[in-house]
């Protein structure tokens, strides 16, 4: 829920993550970032592959570098 709880169990949202199709991983580069709710996040590599056709990329607060592209 909005308070970060699941049936009164407190959940940890300290590490946001992005779920993407494995086929889309070839279009992403390590130094890119994403914008979610006007917040910039760095893509942490390597992605974690799930049993399905999806992968999980952990996100961290974005710090500008000299390279990269922006995706929204």
């Amino acid at each position: 829920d909005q308070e970060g709880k699941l049936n009164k169990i407190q959940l940890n949202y300290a590490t946001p993550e992005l779920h993407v199709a494995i086929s889309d991983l070839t279009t992403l580069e390590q130094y890119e970032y994403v914008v979610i709710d006007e917040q910039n996040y760095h893509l942490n590599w390597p992605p974690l592959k799930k049993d399905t056709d999806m992968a999980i990329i952990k996100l961290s607060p974005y710090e500008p570098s000299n390279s990269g592209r922006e995706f929204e």
Side-chain angles (χ1 to χ4, degrees):
D1 66 12
Q2 293 294 333
E3 296 176 3
K5 294 181 181 178
L6 177 65
N7 290 332
K8 299 183 182 182
I9 300 171
Q10 187 67 37
L11 300 176
N12 182 1
Y13 289 111
T15 307
E17 53 190 39
L18 180 67
H19 294 239
V20 299
I22 289 177
S23 59
D24 290 337
L25 289 178
T26 59
T27 63
L28 297 175
E29 297 180 18
Q30 182 173 358
Y31 298 104
E32 294 178 324
Y33 65 94
V34 294
V35 180
I36 302 172
D37 291 333
E38 299 182 21
Q39 295 257 11
N40 296 346
Y41 292 95
H42 176 74
L43 305 175
N44 296 322
W45 290 87
L48 308 169
K49 293 185 180 174
K50 295 173 65 175
D51 293 336
T52 63
D53 294 336
M54 301 296 290
I56 298 171
I57 300 175
K58 297 289 184 177
L59 304 174
S60 60
Y62 174 74
E63 296 180 16
S65 67
N66 293 334
S67 62
R69 298 182 311 196
E70 174 183 350
F71 286 90
E72 287 192 30

